[in-house]
Amino acid sequence: MFDLSGKKVVVTGGTKGIGYGIAEVFARAGAQVAVVARTAEEVTKAADALAAAGPGRTLGVRADVADPESCREMSATVLTEFGGIDVLCANAGIMPQAALATMTAAELAAVLEVNLAGTIFAVQACLDALTASGAGRVVLTSSITGPITGYPGWSHYGASKAAQLGFMRTAAIELAPRGITVNAILPGNILTEGLAAMGEQYLSGMAAAIPAGTLGRPADIGHLAAFLASAEAGYLTGQAIAVDGGQTLPESFDAVRPPH
Ligand code: NAP
């Protein structure tokens, strides 16, 4: 089951947080993993750490997903080093907060450029290689925020995460004849550096709202990504799957921790 050994995998935003968790699951499963981010020293550090996690080769590639040319260079580098791309985990994203009443055009553009356009540019750049794979897989990291829930300060972020799903549905149709599946994971609150920046009060408030009682771990997302990338998931496409410890289920506070 789920034999990923030798698969050539790209994880954008793979140097930390959810992306690193995804990369680590693939590395442990014997895949060759390329991690992509903007900070040069972080990509080297992450690739070195991943090399110790599994038998496959690892690679750190510096790129900005918001820049289509940078995505094309990233894809070319992975092709040169690995000889192909079987799986793209389009995970890079930013989550700055801005109240709707005062949000600037620049703040809106920054979130859409990385989270939405960056997803599309990464997929476009890897498309020929994913097609050549014969069983290409695209796994998007969306969020529960936007597609299912809302949170003050994240109207632009939620819009970008919901928009990824709109992209996914048509991409899944267009790419099906190429043997490529496109699916999205909707993480709940996963403890990462990005989320930790929200502060202790946010983290404890979120944990209290989750039926499972705790925040998720990056590996929780990685395990679903590994399944979606597997041969066994070949007939599954265009789907959005929440991994949130049940956070989106309760109708009230009492439903999370029943008083009886
Ligand atoms: P994180 O800890 O802040 O890590 C973000 C990663 O993305 C880093 O590797 C960062 O590296 C990279 N990145 C950011 N902008 C980039 C760009 N323009 N080009 C290339 N790489 C870029 O974030 P996270 O919490 O793991 O979140 C990862 C993804 O999961 C995001 O799409 C986020 O929306 C989603 N998500 C997270 C949660 C959560 O609870 N944490 C919940 C739902 C969804 P550099 O800064 O060096 O580029």
Side-chain angles (χ1 to χ4, degrees):
M1 288 275 276
F2 312 153
D3 181 12
L4 299 169
S5 52
K7 290 282 181 194
K8 294 153 182 143
V9 181
V10 172
V11 184
T12 69
T15 56
K16 53 186 172 181
I18 289 175
Y20 187 82
I22 293 171
E24 198 172 30
V25 168
F26 277 104
R28 285 198 176 135
Q32 301 184 50
V33 185
V35 285
V36 178
R38 294 165 301 180
T39 315
E41 56 272 28
E42 294 287 328
V43 296
T44 307
K45 203 171 92 185
D48 288 348
L50 285 168
R57 281 188 61 199
T58 63
L59 181 67
V61 185
R62 207 207 71 78
D64 181 347
V65 296
D67 174 357
E69 183 53 35
S70 182
C71 286
R72 283 192 286 271
E73 286 169 11
M74 173 276 287
S75 168
T77 302
V78 178
L79 272 178
T80 302
E81 295 294 327
F82 285 178
I85 299 172
D86 302 301
V87 182
L88 167 66
C89 297
N91 164 84
I94 56 173
M95 38 190 172
Q97 288 198 295
L100 180 56
T102 53
M103 185 192 303
T104 65
E107 286 172 324
L108 173 60
V111 166
L112 295 178
E113 277 166 16
V114 178
N115 296 3
L116 176 58
T119 295
I120 298 173
F121 294 150
V123 173
Q124 284 183 313
C126 295
L127 205 47
D128 288 347
L130 290 165
T131 305
S133 161
R137 299 280 189 270
V138 177
V139 180
L140 312 180
T141 306
S142 173
S143 177
I144 59 169
T145 310
I148 304 176
T149 63
Y151 194 86
W154 272 340
S155 61
H156 57 345
Y157 173 80
S160 74
K161 292 283 140 182
Q164 284 181 298
L165 302 188
F167 162 72
M168 171 191 73
R169 294 192 177 101
T170 290
I173 297 171
E174 286 192 25
L175 303 186
R178 299 173 182 237
I180 300 172
T181 67
V182 189
N183 292 288
I185 302 176
L186 280 52
N189 279 267
I190 310 298
L191 192 51
T192 64
E193 290 173 39
L195 200 76
M198 294 294 292
E200 193 48 47
Q201 194 180 343
Y202 172 93
L203 298 178
S204 57
M206 279 300 168
I210 299 171
T214 63
L215 303 179
R217 302 160 303 146
D220 293 322
I221 307 307
H223 292 134
L224 177 56
F227 169 65
L228 292 172
S230 70
E232 287 79 357
Y235 200 56
L236 199 172
T237 195
Q239 301 305 307
I241 305 171
V243 179
D244 67 352
Q247 181 170 358
T248 50
L249 301 174
E251 294 184 10
S252 71
F253 289 125
D254 282 351
V256 184
R257 304 271 178 276
H260 39 275

